[in-house]
Amino acid sequence: MKIKPFQLERFYTLYEFNTEYSLCNSDSEAMSIRDLLALEEGGSEKFQDHWLGYTDTKGALDLRKEITAIYEQVKVDDLLVCSGAQEPIFLFSQAILEPEDEVIVQFPCYQSMHSIPESIGCKVFNWKVQYEGDEPRFNLEDLKAMITNKTKAIYLNTPHNPTGFHFTKEEQLEIVNLARERGIFIFSDEVYRELEHEEKYLIPGIVDVYENGVSLGVMSKSYGLPGLRIGWLACRNPKVLEKVAILKEYTTICNAGPSEFLAGLALRNRKKLLSRNLAIIKENLPLLDRFFAKHSHLFSWYRPHAGPIAWVKMNFEESNPGFVERVIHEKKVLLLPGEIYDQSGFFRIGFGRKKMPEALVQFEEFVVDNLL
Ligand SMILES: Cc1ncc(COP(=O)(O)O)c(C=O)c1O
């Protein structure tokens, strides 16, 4: 089956770089190469001297050493460095899935986790979010009921895009036990891991608790460096990584050496980056709390405990053109419409960037002028 166009990127292609205010980004505030290099004495000189040859297909050894520090059990040979997080979702799915396999995906989801298995000919079952009070939840009994002897993989995303939901350690272990009984792979998109608003919400990477678990990490989100295009798969089953590596030789072969150097430096200093990025989130979130408390008759606000995004429900009928389109055209503020996730009546809001407060002021003007 032909793969469906990637809705989110189609939308961003139209609006991301020509809309003045952004209120929906899913990453943390980025930084310049100069500022990144300044985190380490002599960083700039070393970068200038970095060799521009091919690098190891698995990822430069120095970088893989830094990545192992994010996990408990992971060794350098349990890692495959890739281009961003998008390439490894594609490659893992192509390497592991066969037509007619069944796949379970948390829903709504980052579209690749759904559309790629679908394009391979898999049957994709949506494990749907439910709202209990003001908390998004994924019910484990629902998951249990969806598993059959044809289930090949469960695709998780925790912390979750777009709801900001995250599993607890206990829930994660229950899912692992369900998967282990039948040898099901768990592909866990953990691109927002380490950006929990409080440490108590941090749970292990799936790779540390399940021998057939694959953790997906990336520099783009928690660490705020999407321009590096460096991501990775961590997996203790060498056969899985080998299958993915064989496909990677047809896509990118190896990664950009300068990006690997910069990613290694960033990860050596990741605690500094994380506290900078969390500080921005913690400044921005109370502004959203205030905004949504003031306009609670219009919007349902589900405050996340992790990551830089939330999923907001609109409690009013949308007109034509839709709400998000009107906000873009009248106030030059970018929100992400729920339709991107096949969920009308919602929009995604992002609060990981420094300029979020300015965007919120514009958005509030729109709300006051048009909805009150
Ligand atoms: C949940 C999730 N997974 C994967 C990706 C892809 O990340 P990247 O752009 O670094 O390839 C994104 C990007 O928005 C994401 O939100």
Side-chain angles (χ1 to χ4, degrees):
M1 194 193 295
K2 246 184 150 180
I3 196 159
K4 284 185 191 155
F6 198 77
Q7 307 261 41
L8 186 145
E9 289 304 327
R10 295 283 84 215
F11 178 81
Y12 271 156
T13 297
L14 288 181
Y15 296 116
E16 184 177 12
F17 294 107
N18 56 11
T19 307
E20 197 170 341
Y21 303 98
S22 179
L23 201 47
C24 67
N25 293 97
S26 64
D27 51 6
S28 302
E29 179 81 16
M31 60 167 59
S32 66
I33 295 177
R34 183 187 301 278
D35 288 347
L36 180 61
L37 289 172
L39 292 176
E40 246 172 46
E41 223 187 299
S44 224
E45 288 69 32
K46 282 192 203 139
F47 186 50
Q48 299 282 344
D49 288 336
H50 193 75
W51 192 250
L52 286 176
Y54 281 107
T55 74
D56 187 341
T57 302
K58 284 184 142 193
L61 186 59
D62 285 352
L63 171 59
R64 282 185 286 137
K65 280 185 189 153
E66 299 304 336
I67 297 172
T68 60
I70 300 174
Y71 306 100
E72 293 291 325
Q73 313 263 358
V74 172
K75 311 269 186 307
V76 286
D77 286 337
D78 303 328
L79 290 166
L80 181 71
V81 180
C82 295
S83 179
Q86 185 72 305
E87 185 194 27
I89 299 175
F90 185 82
L91 294 182
F92 169 83
S93 308
Q94 296 291 344
I96 297 302
L97 301 177
E98 308 276 350
E100 303 303 319
D101 281 344
E102 294 185 3
V103 163
I104 300 171
V105 179
Q106 269 178 276
F107 185 85
C109 66
Y110 190 68
Q111 191 186 327
S112 329
M113 321 245 286
H114 199 287
S115 292
I116 298 170
E118 210 172 48
S119 73
I120 294 167
C122 300
K123 290 191 183 137
V124 183
F125 296 88
N126 293 336
W127 183 20
K128 289 186 186 148
V129 68
Q130 292 172 10
Y131 285 91
E132 286 170 19
D134 60 358
E135 290 275 335
R137 307 281 336 144
F138 287 87
N139 186 313
L140 288 169
E141 292 304 315
D142 291 351
L143 174 65
K144 225 183 266 179
M146 295 168 103
I147 294 177
T148 74
N149 54 13
K150 285 188 166 176
T151 308
K152 177 68 89 54
I154 300 173
Y155 282 64
L156 303 180
N157 172 208
T158 186
H160 182 239
N161 174 356
T163 63
F165 166 87
H166 63 89
F167 287 111
T168 61
K169 240 186 232 180
E170 293 71 27
E171 287 168 327
Q172 186 191 47
L173 282 182
E174 273 194 60
I175 299 170
V176 167
N177 288 337
L178 289 173
R180 188 177 273 135
E181 275 172 27
R182 297 183 191 243
I184 297 168
F185 292 107
I186 300 182
F187 182 90
S188 181
D189 179 329
E190 296 164 2
V191 300
Y192 298 102
R193 186 161 175 266
E194 298 209 307
L195 207 60
E196 291 75 14
H197 302 170
E198 290 180 49
E199 228 179 294
K200 64 181 178 188
Y201 299 128
L202 176 69
I203 64 169
I206 204 81
V207 61
D208 280 332
V209 291
Y210 184 35
E211 58 287 357
N212 280 319
V214 181
S215 287
L216 171 68
V218 81
M219 298 308 296
S220 309
K221 308 297 178 181
S222 303
Y223 312 109
L225 299 168
L228 293 180
R229 309 308 300 135
I230 291 286
W232 58 87
L233 293 179
C235 178
R236 289 183 288 135
N237 177 336
K239 286 190 191 141
V240 171
L241 270 196
E242 181 66 7
K243 281 187 178 177
V244 180
I246 286 170
L247 285 186
K248 190 191 158 188
E249 288 159 7
Y250 274 107
T251 54
T252 49
I253 301 180
C254 68
N255 310 293
S259 285
E260 290 194 323
F261 175 92
L262 294 170
L265 190 152
L267 288 180
R268 272 195 295 286
N269 293 280
R270 78 182 208 282
K271 299 282 180 197
K272 281 186 209 156
L273 294 181
L274 290 167
S275 52
R276 162 194 181 267
N277 297 342
L278 271 171
I280 297 171
I281 285 176
K282 287 182 180 175
E283 268 187 35
N284 287 343
L285 258 179
L287 304 179
L288 291 176
D289 288 338
R290 238 170 282 149
F291 173 88
F292 287 114
K294 214 154 89 185
H295 304 295
S296 59
H297 58 298
L298 293 171
F299 306 105
S300 299
W301 169 231
Y302 309 106
R303 189 188 214 269
H305 299 302
I309 47 178
W311 195 224
V312 180
K313 185 169 185 297
M314 292 179 266
N315 298 322
F316 52 88
E317 285 296 313
E318 281 198 79
S319 53
N320 193 5
F323 178 69
V324 167
E325 252 179 87
R326 288 174 60 209
V327 178
I328 293 172
H329 289 119
E330 289 180 33
K331 283 289 169 189
K332 301 181 174 41
V333 175
L334 194 60
L335 297 168
L336 195 67
E339 285 75 11
I340 299 283
Y341 291 84
D342 286 333
Q343 291 260 284
S344 53
F346 285 82
F347 60 83
R348 187 179 87 184
I349 202 158
F351 42 87
R353 301 250 183 118
K354 280 187 188 159
K355 282 177 80 174
M356 191 227 70
E358 287 171 41
L360 187 61
V361 168
Q362 297 298 317
F363 181 47
E364 183 150 34
E365 278 181 20
F366 178 90
V367 169
V368 170
D369 291 349
N370 294 276
L371 297 178
L372 298 185

